[in-house]
Amino acid sequence: MHILVKKPANTIRIFCLGSSACASWPHTAAETFSAYLQQALETAYPGKKIEVVNAAAHGFAAYRTRRVLDEVLQMEPDAVIVWEGNNEFLEDRNYDRPNAWVFFLTRHLRTVQWLQSFFASRTKMSGGDLKDAAHFFWAKTRQQSLRLRETRCSLSRFRSTSA
């Protein structure tokens, strides 16, 4: 897909940014939320040109998505949807370091230390808990994917019979 930097008149332009979930993993490009959004907007706004651009990438952490956002904003989007968070711990982070004063405060204030230990102790899961949670979410993802496929097939049948 070729995208002009200057958005053409009568166009709704939306960019979707993020990591593998946003990029469609584990589904095909036709089954992404951005593809469904494109179809829904084309139905809702038949007189407009709709551009829904999925600029997500597998394995991206938020700091990489932030760099893509800088480029996307130059292309006059009407909206930017960011779906991020599931790759934050897969690689070393390259975030800009805070200034020395902020860094010192976050390392030495007892309130910050207490909050860090409080939340860390509440979020630890055993291997069994992680396995159960992963199984639950994977089953839910499969179930929703099947529903989306059924809906898409129903829409296609409806369009072909009403045309």
Side-chain angles (χ1 to χ4, degrees), residues 70-91:
D70 291 338
E71 292 181 36
V72 161
L73 290 176
Q74 297 172 22
M75 297 183 181
E76 303 175 354
D78 293 296
V80 177
I81 299 170
V82 179
W83 182 354
E84 190 60 75
N86 48 329
N87 290 325
E88 295 308 302
F89 303 103
L90 293 179
E91 60 181 275

Side-chain angles (χ1 to χ4, degrees), residues 20-37 39 54 83 141-142 144-153:
S20 51
C22 184
S24 80
W25 186 89
H27 307 287
T28 65
E31 295 176 329
T32 62
F33 81 94
S34 55
Y36 291 116
L37 177 60
Q39 292 171 10
N54 193 323
W83 182 354
T141 300
R142 262 188 287 159
Q144 289 177 340
S145 175
L146 290 173
R147 271 198 222 127
L148 285 172
R149 286 179 187 152
E150 290 169 3
T151 303
R152 189 167 175 231
C153 289

Side-chain angles (χ1 to χ4, degrees), residues 1 12-16 33-35 37-38 41 50-54:
M1 169 185 271
I12 296 174
R13 180 179 280 177
I14 299 173
F15 283 90
C16 303
F33 81 94
S34 55
L37 177 60
Q38 172 99 24
L41 290 173
I50 307 296
E51 295 178 351
V52 178
V53 180
N54 193 323

Side-chain angles (χ1 to χ4, degrees), residues 78-127:
D78 293 296
V80 177
I81 299 170
V82 179
W83 182 354
E84 190 60 75
N86 48 329
N87 290 325
E88 295 308 302
F89 303 103
L90 293 179
E91 60 181 275
D92 291 335
R93 291 180 207 91
N94 292 322
Y95 301 107
D96 295 334
R97 283 187 69 79
N99 69 37
W101 181 242
V102 172
F103 187 74
F104 174 81
L105 288 176
T106 60
R107 294 289 181 230
H108 294 91
L109 284 178
R110 292 198 190 279
T111 306
V112 172
Q113 292 171 354
W114 180 83
L115 285 169
Q116 287 172 337
S117 65
F118 175 77
F119 286 112
S121 67
R122 297 186 71 124
T123 58
K124 289 183 181 172
M125 297 177 82
S126 70

